Amino acid sequence: MHIAIILVLGLVAGILVGLMGIGGGIVVVPALVYFLGMGEHTAQGTSLFILLPPLGLGALAVYWKERHVDLPAGIACAAGILLGGYFGGKLAVGISSRPLQALFGIFLVFSAIMLWREAGKSPPAKEGPHA
Amino acid sequence: MLSLRPRLWTIFLTGCVVGICSGLFGVGGGVILIPLLVLLFGFEQHVAQGTSLVALVPPTGLLGFLAYYHAHKVDVKVGLLIIPGVFLGGILGGKLAERLAPRKMRLVFAGFLFVLGAWQALSAFSK
């Protein structure tokens, strides 16, 4: 039963990975805490472990075929994330995650509102008359 | 190509910031990276998502992971069980995304962020 829940959890996270172009940790972490009763730090560490293999590769192939990829930008981001991840991990292990979680949530809500306005304002470039 | 460089440096620095958040929250970083690519660099939604997947192909969380591993904050068994589902689900989700129009895709993503963000913030405050 326990194992079945974990397997289904992976599949649901994966669908979100492909649909949203994200790593999946954002859904895996809260799910590990709520469904499996893990501590916040262990859930975050396990999530980073899951993300070590290139799990988004299958999804990336789908985006690649539709030419929805900016390769140089992606590589630049990867280098930055690798470097920043080290300091973030060090920082996290030493502190309580509650205020951070609140800050993170507020950042997400703020981004959502900005993106929503962006979508309402004008059609994205590819739909525009210049495409 | 030269004119591209400053842009790539800015994107690299953005990646650094995203990486710090990635290590802090135990996430891949895509969820932070995508809004930044759209809002700061004007990426179209699908391209932002595809580019984020590129950024997540190398084990970018490796250094962050090691910090947790040394603190014994990793459940390897549960992690291994989740991996196959994430890979297969990713292909499914990617196909689904390509069927959505760019504008609709952005709205779906924004709605997703809003719910997640509200959930995170509320659960932090109610602990």
Side-chain angles (χ1 to χ4, degrees):
Chain A
M1 188 56 197
H2 198 63
I3 289 179
I5 292 175
I6 299 173
L7 288 174
V8 170
L9 180 69
L11 192 67
V12 172
I15 290 174
L16 291 169
V17 165
L19 185 61
M20 311 284 182
I22 59 177
I26 185 96
V27 276
V28 166
V29 173
L32 290 177
V33 171
Y34 288 102
F35 297 126
L36 302 179
M38 264 186 201
E40 183 71 28
H41 280 97
T42 308
Q44 296 189 181
T46 304
S47 163
L48 285 174
F49 170 69
I50 293 165
L51 301 176
L52 286 182
L55 292 180
L57 210 54
L60 175 61
V62 179
Y63 281 82
W64 185 263
K65 252 180 28 202
E66 302 290 329
R67 297 172 182 277
H68 281 144
V69 176
D70 183 334
L71 197 60
I75 292 169
C77 285
I81 295 174
L82 179 70
L83 199 69
Y86 175 72
F87 296 104
K90 277 242 179 249
L91 214 59
V93 167
I95 51 176
S96 112
S97 51
R98 204 182 122 186
L100 288 170
Q101 206 191 346
L103 197 72
F104 186 40
I106 291 165
F107 169 82
L108 292 181
V109 169
F110 178 73
S111 307
I113 293 168
M114 297 292 284
L115 288 173
W116 194 276
R117 286 184 49 191
E118 188 70 20
K121 224 166 31 191
S122 61
K126 286 225 161 159
E127 274 187 337
H130 317 291
Chain B
M1 201 60 199
L2 264 174
S3 66
L4 262 175
R5 290 231 173 107
R7 176 175 169 270
L8 283 184
W9 276 110
T10 326
I11 291 181
F12 169 73
L13 286 179
T14 308
C16 286
V17 174
V18 171
I20 292 176
C21 298
S22 160
L24 264 179
F25 303 116
V27 300
V31 79
I32 310 163
L33 182 60
I34 293 164
L36 293 179
L37 286 179
V38 170
L39 297 171
L40 300 181
F41 300 96
F43 274 56
E44 192 255 309
Q45 187 69 27
H46 281 94
V47 180
Q49 297 186 180
T51 304
S52 157
L53 286 172
V54 172
L56 302 176
V57 166
T60 43
L62 183 64
L63 299 176
F65 160 73
L66 287 176
Y68 282 89
Y69 190 76
H70 287 139
H72 303 286
K73 298 287 187 190
V74 177
D75 189 329
V76 173
K77 214 176 93 192
V78 169
L80 286 175
L81 280 170
I82 288 182
I83 286 173
V86 177
F87 180 77
L88 291 175
I91 298 171
L92 253 146
K95 298 216 152 140
L96 209 62
E98 296 300 346
R99 304 178 97 178
L100 291 173
R103 206 182 97 84
K104 205 175 224 170
M105 186 70 247
R106 183 156 295 169
L107 292 177
V108 168
F109 187 81
F112 172 73
L113 274 196
F114 187 88
V115 171
L116 270 180
W119 184 20
Q120 290 264 356
L122 286 177
S123 69
F125 285 125
S126 66
K127 249 183 231 168

